[in-house]
Amino acid sequence: MSETVKIKNIKGRIERIEDILSSVAAGNMDARIASEIEDDLTGIESAIDLLIDDLTDELKNREKVQFELQEKLERIQEQQKTIVQQQEDLMELSSPVTKVWDNILILPVIGTLDSQRTQIMMENLLNKIVSTGCTISILDITGVLTVDTQVANHLLKTVTAARLLGAECIISGISPAIAQTIVHLGIDLTSIRTKATLQDAMIYAMNQNNKPVVRKNNEISHPDEEVE
């Protein structure tokens, strides 16, 4: 013959269990049954409390992992910002504009040219022209191995922009390979003054610097300039 199940206040305790489970489902992980009655329902109540404990620990572990992942993501984002800033700083350093003589600026370019770098070069040169008031600038590309259409067009824009600011821009150091590339691409550089070497460009610039300068419509002209 089976034993009779003895449960005290079964209706109220079942309602208590339902309330606790509803609270946990709503996010209250501190809710517990914590029954002080010892009978046949006590084991179920204790099991529910243990289940809530396990669920609470699991949620805490997930929150910890999520927090750690968020921290790692923020560190990676900060590192990316630092890398981008360093790249921009290196790009600036790779395009230095220097005043080498009275009224003469020089921008030596070494390495690979791309659209981003040529854009920075143009900005640096134009800003330097404005800040120094120099009217002669030399863009030396002796250390550049090759150019493409976009880079060549940027160089043209740089020279044009310099003229709009009242400065003459001379390009020196065009290698045979770059010369052939420019011809092959059909890019017209006839409006730009070019010199074979930086030395030639410096000699020309210093000779021009000793001549009287006449400004007209933001263009530079030298009354006694020899036609080359």
Side-chain angles (χ1 to χ4, degrees):
M1 184 174 179
S2 61
E3 297 181 357
T4 303
V5 177
K6 298 178 181 180
I7 301 176
K8 299 177 182 179
N9 189 21
I10 184 170
K11 181 179 179 181
R13 290 166 69 186
I14 290 176
E15 290 177 350
R16 169 70 174 165
I17 291 173
E18 291 176 345
D19 290 341
I20 293 298
L21 293 177
S22 296
S23 296
V24 171
N28 180 14
M29 304 307 297
D30 294 326
R32 298 292 186 278
I33 298 173
S35 177
E36 297 179 354
I37 302 175
E38 294 290 339
D39 56 20
D40 293 329
L41 187 58
T42 304
I44 296 175
E45 292 171 331
S46 298
I48 292 174
D49 282 347
L50 289 174
L51 180 62
I52 295 173
D53 288 340
D54 291 341
L55 181 59
T56 302
D57 291 340
E58 180 64 24
L59 289 175
K60 287 181 178 179
N61 288 333
R62 289 187 179 183
E63 289 176 354
K64 180 181 179 182
V65 171
Q66 184 177 7
F67 178 76
E68 291 174 349
L69 288 175
Q70 182 65 30
E71 281 190 327
K72 289 181 180 179
L73 178 61
E74 290 177 356
R75 286 198 298 268
I76 291 173
Q77 290 175 339
E78 287 298 322
Q79 290 172 352
Q80 289 177 335
K81 289 180 181 178
T82 301
I83 291 172
V84 170
Q85 184 62 48
Q86 288 175 343
Q87 289 176 337
E88 291 178 352
D89 292 342
L90 287 173
M91 196 72 73
E92 290 285 343
L93 292 174
S94 67
S95 306
V97 183
T98 306
K99 185 176 181 180
V100 293
W101 202 263
D102 183 37
N103 201 41
I104 301 174
L105 298 175
I106 183 171
L107 172 55
V109 185
I110 299 174
T112 303
L113 279 178
D114 55 26
S115 297
Q116 181 183 6
R117 187 180 177 192
T118 50
Q119 179 65 31
I120 292 175
M121 284 168 39
M122 179 170 66
E123 292 175 359
N124 289 348
L125 180 60
L126 298 182
N127 289 334
K128 198 72 171 181
I129 289 173
V130 172
S131 64
T132 62
C134 292
T135 59
I136 302 176
S137 58
I138 300 172
L139 181 59
D140 182 65
I141 60 172
T142 304
V144 178
L145 298 178
T146 184
V147 298
D148 58 20
T149 305
Q150 288 185 335
V151 171
N153 286 330
H154 272 297
L155 293 177
L156 286 171
K157 291 178 181 178
T158 300
V159 174
T160 303
R163 285 175 178 169
L164 291 175
L165 294 177
E168 180 181 11
C169 187
I170 308 161
I171 297 181
S172 66
I174 298 178
S175 67
I178 293 179
Q180 292 179 31
T181 300
I182 291 174
V183 172
H184 178 72
L185 294 174
I187 300 171
D188 184 13
L189 296 183
T190 56
S191 61
I192 298 176
R193 187 174 299 279
T194 60
K195 294 294 179 179
T197 66
L198 176 58
Q199 181 180 7
D200 293 336
M202 284 294 298
I203 292 173
Y204 170 80
M206 293 177 72
N207 287 335
Q208 294 300 111
N209 202 36
N210 292 328
K211 296 180 180 181
V213 177
V214 178
R215 292 183 179 271
K216 183 178 180 181
N217 297 328
N218 283 333
E219 294 183 357
I220 295 177
S221 62
H222 302 276
D224 55 343
E225 179 177 347
E226 295 179 2
V227 180
E228 296 188 2

